[in-house]
mmCIF file of all heavy atoms in Angstrom:
data_model
loop_
_atom_site.group_PDB
_atom_site.id
_atom_site.type_symbol
_atom_site.label_atom_id
_atom_site.label_comp_id
_atom_site.label_asym_id
_atom_site.label_seq_id
_atom_site.Cartn_x
_atom_site.Cartn_y
_atom_site.Cartn_z
ATOM 1 N N VAL B 1325 48.821 -16.623 64.626
ATOM 2 C CA VAL B 1325 49.837 -15.646 64.255
ATOM 3 C C VAL B 1325 51.133 -15.897 65.067
ATOM 4 O O VAL B 1325 52.210 -15.718 64.589
ATOM 5 C CB VAL B 1325 49.329 -14.215 64.474
ATOM 6 C CG1 VAL B 1325 48.504 -13.751 63.282
ATOM 7 C CG2 VAL B 1325 48.592 -14.029 65.773
ATOM 8 N N ARG B 1336 54.764 -10.926 66.472
ATOM 9 C CA ARG B 1336 53.483 -11.166 65.808
ATOM 10 C C ARG B 1336 52.902 -9.894 65.201
ATOM 11 O O ARG B 1336 52.182 -9.948 64.265
ATOM 12 C CB ARG B 1336 52.465 -11.723 66.831
ATOM 13 C CG ARG B 1336 51.801 -10.773 67.701
ATOM 14 C CD ARG B 1336 50.578 -11.424 68.357
ATOM 15 N NE ARG B 1336 50.280 -10.680 69.605
ATOM 16 C CZ ARG B 1336 50.772 -11.035 70.864
ATOM 17 N NH1 ARG B 1336 51.588 -12.114 70.906
ATOM 18 N NH2 ARG B 1336 50.507 -10.315 71.855
ATOM 19 N N SER B 1337 53.418 -8.740 65.662
ATOM 20 C CA SER B 1337 52.981 -7.508 65.040
ATOM 21 C C SER B 1337 53.387 -7.484 63.604
ATOM 22 O O SER B 1337 52.651 -7.138 62.693
ATOM 23 C CB SER B 1337 53.590 -6.275 65.701
ATOM 24 O OG SER B 1337 53.343 -6.416 67.111
ATOM 25 N N THR B 1338 54.656 -7.918 63.315
ATOM 26 C CA THR B 1338 55.135 -7.940 61.979
ATOM 27 C C THR B 1338 54.269 -8.923 61.109
ATOM 28 O O THR B 1338 53.993 -8.628 59.956
ATOM 29 C CB THR B 1338 56.565 -8.454 62.004
ATOM 30 O OG1 THR B 1338 57.274 -7.611 62.934
ATOM 31 C CG2 THR B 1338 57.177 -8.324 60.618
ATOM 32 N N VAL B 1339 54.019 -10.042 61.710
ATOM 33 C CA VAL B 1339 53.144 -11.053 60.945
ATOM 34 C C VAL B 1339 51.830 -10.446 60.540
ATOM 35 O O VAL B 1339 51.429 -10.491 59.368
ATOM 36 C CB VAL B 1339 52.947 -12.260 61.771
ATOM 37 C CG1 VAL B 1339 51.976 -13.239 61.044
ATOM 38 C CG2 VAL B 1339 54.299 -12.992 62.151
ATOM 39 N N LEU B 1340 51.194 -9.819 61.486
ATOM 40 C CA LEU B 1340 49.889 -9.166 61.167
ATOM 41 C C LEU B 1340 50.028 -8.177 60.080
ATOM 42 O O LEU B 1340 49.189 -8.071 59.174
ATOM 43 C CB LEU B 1340 49.414 -8.569 62.497
ATOM 44 C CG LEU B 1340 48.336 -9.213 63.330
ATOM 45 C CD1 LEU B 1340 47.724 -10.441 62.572
ATOM 46 C CD2 LEU B 1340 48.935 -9.675 64.600
ATOM 47 N N ARG B 1341 51.000 -7.385 60.183
ATOM 48 C CA ARG B 1341 51.245 -6.336 59.217
ATOM 49 C C ARG B 1341 51.431 -6.946 57.808
ATOM 50 O O ARG B 1341 50.821 -6.545 56.812
ATOM 51 C CB ARG B 1341 52.460 -5.496 59.593
ATOM 52 C CG ARG B 1341 52.131 -4.092 60.005
ATOM 53 C CD ARG B 1341 53.299 -3.236 60.271
ATOM 54 N NE ARG B 1341 54.088 -3.756 61.362
ATOM 55 C CZ ARG B 1341 54.021 -3.317 62.671
ATOM 56 N NH1 ARG B 1341 53.323 -2.260 62.937
ATOM 57 N NH2 ARG B 1341 54.813 -3.814 63.549
ATOM 58 N N ALA B 1342 52.262 -7.963 57.709
ATOM 59 C CA ALA B 1342 52.427 -8.647 56.436
ATOM 60 C C ALA B 1342 51.209 -9.192 55.875
ATOM 61 O O ALA B 1342 50.862 -9.028 54.717
ATOM 62 C CB ALA B 1342 53.462 -9.790 56.635
ATOM 63 N N LEU B 1343 50.363 -9.878 56.719
ATOM 64 C CA LEU B 1343 49.208 -10.473 56.303
ATOM 65 C C LEU B 1343 48.030 -9.490 56.031
ATOM 66 O O LEU B 1343 47.079 -9.830 55.287
ATOM 67 C CB LEU B 1343 48.791 -11.502 57.325
ATOM 68 C CG LEU B 1343 49.149 -12.978 57.095
ATOM 69 C CD1 LEU B 1343 50.422 -13.048 56.287
ATOM 70 C CD2 LEU B 1343 49.290 -13.720 58.377
ATOM 71 N N SER B 1344 48.073 -8.346 56.594
ATOM 72 C CA SER B 1344 46.953 -7.391 56.473
ATOM 73 C C SER B 1344 47.165 -6.510 55.246
ATOM 74 O O SER B 1344 46.252 -5.742 54.867
ATOM 75 C CB SER B 1344 46.829 -6.528 57.685
ATOM 76 O OG SER B 1344 47.961 -5.652 57.808
ATOM 77 N N GLY B 1345 48.241 -6.714 54.512
ATOM 78 C CA GLY B 1345 48.473 -5.937 53.302
ATOM 79 C C GLY B 1345 48.784 -4.512 53.476
ATOM 80 O O GLY B 1345 48.659 -3.775 52.496
ATOM 81 N N LYS B 1346 49.222 -4.129 54.694
ATOM 82 C CA LYS B 1346 49.584 -2.858 54.908
ATOM 83 C C LYS B 1346 50.911 -2.486 54.235
ATOM 84 O O LYS B 1346 51.675 -3.386 53.723
ATOM 85 C CB LYS B 1346 49.754 -2.524 56.431
ATOM 86 C CG LYS B 1346 48.418 -2.617 57.234
ATOM 87 C CD LYS B 1346 47.619 -1.325 57.061
ATOM 88 C CE LYS B 1346 46.297 -1.498 57.683
ATOM 89 N NZ LYS B 1346 46.387 -1.902 59.095
ATOM 90 N N VAL B 1347 51.280 -1.222 54.189
ATOM 91 C CA VAL B 1347 52.544 -0.845 53.436
ATOM 92 C C VAL B 1347 53.751 -0.804 54.289
ATOM 93 O O VAL B 1347 54.888 -1.132 53.774
ATOM 94 C CB VAL B 1347 52.311 0.552 52.861
ATOM 95 C CG1 VAL B 1347 51.581 0.463 51.523
ATOM 96 C CG2 VAL B 1347 51.544 1.527 53.853
ATOM 97 N N ASP B 1348 53.680 -0.413 55.548
ATOM 98 C CA ASP B 1348 54.899 -0.225 56.300
ATOM 99 C C ASP B 1348 55.642 -1.490 56.709
ATOM 100 O O ASP B 1348 55.651 -1.836 57.875
ATOM 101 C CB ASP B 1348 54.652 0.670 57.496
ATOM 102 C CG ASP B 1348 53.407 0.162 58.252
ATOM 103 O OD1 ASP B 1348 52.734 -0.701 57.749
ATOM 104 O OD2 ASP B 1348 53.139 0.758 59.326
ATOM 105 N N ILE B 1349 56.088 -2.164 55.770
ATOM 106 C CA ILE B 1349 56.859 -3.414 56.002
ATOM 107 C C ILE B 1349 57.654 -3.698 54.737
ATOM 108 O O ILE B 1349 57.296 -3.410 53.674
ATOM 109 C CB ILE B 1349 55.869 -4.635 56.296
ATOM 110 C CG1 ILE B 1349 56.571 -5.823 56.690
ATOM 111 C CG2 ILE B 1349 55.042 -4.920 55.041
ATOM 112 C CD1 ILE B 1349 55.836 -6.954 57.071
ATOM 113 N N ARG B 1354 57.665 -9.561 54.047
ATOM 114 C CA ARG B 1354 56.281 -9.763 53.717
ATOM 115 C C ARG B 1354 56.152 -11.068 52.832
ATOM 116 O O ARG B 1354 55.409 -12.026 53.236
ATOM 117 C CB ARG B 1354 55.700 -8.658 52.918
ATOM 118 C CG ARG B 1354 54.744 -9.142 51.857
ATOM 119 C CD ARG B 1354 53.858 -7.984 51.333
ATOM 120 N NE ARG B 1354 53.084 -7.359 52.335
ATOM 121 C CZ ARG B 1354 52.637 -6.047 52.275
ATOM 122 N NH1 ARG B 1354 52.929 -5.363 51.212
ATOM 123 N NH2 ARG B 1354 51.940 -5.604 53.366
ATOM 124 N N ILE B 1357 56.830 -14.088 54.984
ATOM 125 C CA ILE B 1357 55.782 -14.429 55.976
ATOM 126 C C ILE B 1357 54.523 -14.910 55.214
ATOM 127 O O ILE B 1357 53.875 -15.948 55.637
ATOM 128 C CB ILE B 1357 55.404 -13.206 56.794
ATOM 129 C CG1 ILE B 1357 56.571 -12.926 57.753
ATOM 130 C CG2 ILE B 1357 54.104 -13.373 57.584
ATOM 131 C CD1 ILE B 1357 56.408 -11.693 58.600
ATOM 132 N N GLU B 1358 54.280 -14.353 54.088
ATOM 133 C CA GLU B 1358 53.128 -14.813 53.316
ATOM 134 C C GLU B 1358 53.316 -16.280 52.896
ATOM 135 O O GLU B 1358 52.430 -17.095 52.959
ATOM 136 C CB GLU B 1358 52.875 -14.003 52.028
ATOM 137 C CG GLU B 1358 52.214 -12.662 52.324
ATOM 138 C CD GLU B 1358 52.130 -11.811 51.116
ATOM 139 O OE1 GLU B 1358 52.800 -12.060 50.119
ATOM 140 O OE2 GLU B 1358 51.350 -10.809 51.088
ATOM 141 N N ALA B 1361 52.895 -18.439 55.950
ATOM 142 C CA ALA B 1361 51.506 -18.545 56.346
ATOM 143 C C ALA B 1361 50.786 -19.601 55.443
ATOM 144 O O ALA B 1361 49.979 -20.404 55.952
ATOM 145 C CB ALA B 1361 50.803 -17.201 56.229
ATOM 146 N N TYR B 1366 47.680 -21.132 57.515
ATOM 147 C CA TYR B 1366 47.160 -20.215 58.489
ATOM 148 C C TYR B 1366 45.832 -19.652 58.029
ATOM 149 O O TYR B 1366 45.705 -19.286 56.822
ATOM 150 C CB TYR B 1366 48.135 -19.030 58.736
ATOM 151 C CG TYR B 1366 47.472 -17.890 59.505
ATOM 152 C CD1 TYR B 1366 47.257 -18.049 60.857
ATOM 153 C CD2 TYR B 1366 47.035 -16.719 58.912
ATOM 154 C CE1 TYR B 1366 46.560 -17.004 61.580
ATOM 155 C CE2 TYR B 1366 46.453 -15.747 59.599
ATOM 156 C CZ TYR B 1366 46.157 -15.811 60.903
ATOM 157 O OH TYR B 1366 45.608 -14.861 61.601
ATOM 158 N N PRO B 1368 42.954 -16.893 59.525
ATOM 159 C CA PRO B 1368 42.609 -16.010 60.668
ATOM 160 C C PRO B 1368 41.357 -16.532 61.367
ATOM 161 O O PRO B 1368 40.460 -17.007 60.845
ATOM 162 C CB PRO B 1368 42.261 -14.628 59.988
ATOM 163 C CG PRO B 1368 42.024 -15.008 58.506
ATOM 164 C CD PRO B 1368 42.971 -16.218 58.301
ATOM 165 N N ARG B 1373 38.782 -12.428 66.073
ATOM 166 C CA ARG B 1373 38.666 -11.118 65.432
ATOM 167 C C ARG B 1373 37.438 -10.350 65.845
ATOM 168 O O ARG B 1373 37.433 -9.169 66.222
ATOM 169 C CB ARG B 1373 38.646 -11.284 63.915
ATOM 170 C CG ARG B 1373 38.464 -9.993 63.183
ATOM 171 C CD ARG B 1373 38.531 -10.265 61.714
ATOM 172 N NE ARG B 1373 39.792 -10.702 61.227
ATOM 173 C CZ ARG B 1373 40.048 -10.952 60.029
ATOM 174 N NH1 ARG B 1373 39.079 -10.841 59.044
ATOM 175 N NH2 ARG B 1373 41.237 -11.334 59.547
ATOM 176 P P DC D 971 44.879 -15.780 65.193
ATOM 177 O OP1 DC D 971 44.408 -16.179 63.878
ATOM 178 O OP2 DC D 971 46.281 -15.893 65.648
ATOM 179 O "O5'" DC D 971 44.444 -14.267 65.368
ATOM 180 C "C5'" DC D 971 43.072 -13.901 65.158
ATOM 181 C "C4'" DC D 971 42.759 -12.501 65.658
ATOM 182 O "O4'" DC D 971 43.162 -12.424 67.021
ATOM 183 C "C3'" DC D 971 43.526 -11.407 64.887
ATOM 184 O "O3'" DC D 971 42.558 -10.605 64.196
ATOM 185 C "C2'" DC D 971 44.285 -10.668 65.954
ATOM 186 C "C1'" DC D 971 43.600 -11.081 67.211
ATOM 187 N N1 DC D 971 44.508 -11.092 68.457
ATOM 188 C C2 DC D 971 44.251 -10.164 69.507
ATOM 189 O O2 DC D 971 43.296 -9.467 69.402
ATOM 190 N N3 DC D 971 45.094 -10.219 70.520
ATOM 191 C C4 DC D 971 46.133 -11.040 70.609
ATOM 192 N N4 DC D 971 46.932 -11.044 71.699
ATOM 193 C C5 DC D 971 46.404 -11.974 69.572
ATOM 194 C C6 DC D 971 45.599 -11.936 68.479
ATOM 195 P P DT D 972 43.133 -9.472 63.202
ATOM 196 O OP1 DT D 972 42.188 -9.407 62.118
ATOM 197 O OP2 DT D 972 44.537 -9.683 62.945
ATOM 198 O "O5'" DT D 972 42.945 -8.171 64.070
ATOM 199 C "C5'" DT D 972 41.708 -7.835 64.652
ATOM 200 C "C4'" DT D 972 41.843 -6.603 65.505
ATOM 201 O "O4'" DT D 972 42.585 -6.800 66.666
ATOM 202 C "C3'" DT D 972 42.487 -5.400 64.782
ATOM 203 O "O3'" DT D 972 41.691 -4.277 65.002
ATOM 204 C "C2'" DT D 972 43.870 -5.281 65.445
ATOM 205 C "C1'" DT D 972 43.553 -5.800 66.870
ATOM 206 N N1 DT D 972 44.709 -6.343 67.553
ATOM 207 C C2 DT D 972 44.952 -5.937 68.864
ATOM 208 O O2 DT D 972 44.262 -5.149 69.538
ATOM 209 N N3 DT D 972 45.993 -6.611 69.492
ATOM 210 C C4 DT D 972 46.804 -7.511 68.936
ATOM 211 O O4 DT D 972 47.756 -8.002 69.602
ATOM 212 C C5 DT D 972 46.535 -7.914 67.601
ATOM 213 C C7 DT D 972 47.427 -8.918 66.918
ATOM 214 C C6 DT D 972 45.457 -7.330 66.944
ATOM 215 P P DT D 973 41.986 -2.971 64.053
ATOM 216 O OP1 DT D 973 40.708 -2.590 63.479
ATOM 217 O OP2 DT D 973 43.158 -3.235 63.158
ATOM 218 O "O5'" DT D 973 42.437 -1.867 65.165
ATOM 219 C "C5'" DT D 973 41.973 -1.998 66.525
ATOM 220 C "C4'" DT D 973 42.864 -1.212 67.421
ATOM 221 O "O4'" DT D 973 43.891 -2.040 67.957
ATOM 222 C "C3'" DT D 973 43.588 -0.018 66.748
ATOM 223 O "O3'" DT D 973 43.446 1.146 67.584
ATOM 224 C "C2'" DT D 973 44.926 -0.483 66.677
ATOM 225 C "C1'" DT D 973 45.183 -1.345 67.913
ATOM 226 N N1 DT D 973 46.192 -2.410 67.867
ATOM 227 C C2 DT D 973 46.826 -2.682 69.058
ATOM 228 O O2 DT D 973 46.703 -2.144 70.138
ATOM 229 N N3 DT D 973 47.809 -3.711 68.874
ATOM 230 C C4 DT D 973 48.131 -4.393 67.759
ATOM 231 O O4 DT D 973 48.996 -5.223 67.694
ATOM 232 C C5 DT D 973 47.341 -4.025 66.618
ATOM 233 C C7 DT D 973 47.627 -4.719 65.252
ATOM 234 C C6 DT D 973 46.426 -3.038 66.687
ATOM 235 P P DT D 974 43.844 2.586 66.971
ATOM 236 O OP1 DT D 974 42.675 3.479 66.955
ATOM 237 O OP2 DT D 974 44.689 2.423 65.730
ATOM 238 O "O5'" DT D 974 44.834 3.114 68.079
ATOM 239 C "C5'" DT D 974 44.663 2.716 69.443
ATOM 240 C "C4'" DT D 974 45.939 2.848 70.245
ATOM 241 O "O4'" DT D 974 46.726 1.648 70.069
ATOM 242 C "C3'" DT D 974 46.807 4.025 69.817
ATOM 243 O "O3'" DT D 974 47.287 4.725 70.996
ATOM 244 C "C2'" DT D 974 47.923 3.407 69.064
ATOM 245 C "C1'" DT D 974 48.038 2.048 69.786
ATOM 246 N N1 DT D 974 48.676 0.994 69.028
ATOM 247 C C2 DT D 974 49.592 0.158 69.661
ATOM 248 O O2 DT D 974 49.934 0.201 70.821
ATOM 249 N N3 DT D 974 50.166 -0.846 68.893
ATOM 250 C C4 DT D 974 49.917 -1.064 67.516
ATOM 251 O O4 DT D 974 50.455 -1.952 66.913
ATOM 252 C C5 DT D 974 48.998 -0.201 66.961
ATOM 253 C C7 DT D 974 48.631 -0.328 65.454
ATOM 254 C C6 DT D 974 48.444 0.802 67.678
#
Side-chain angles (χ1 to χ4, degrees):
Chain B
V1325 276
R1336 83 164 155 269
S1337 306
T1338 307
V1339 174
L1340 261 347
R1341 254 184 293 259
L1343 264 27
S1344 67
K1346 292 282 175 57
V1347 277
D1348 46 355
I1349 186 174
R1354 144 167 301 156
I1357 291 173
E1358 280 177 346
Y1366 168 74
R1373 177 180 292 181

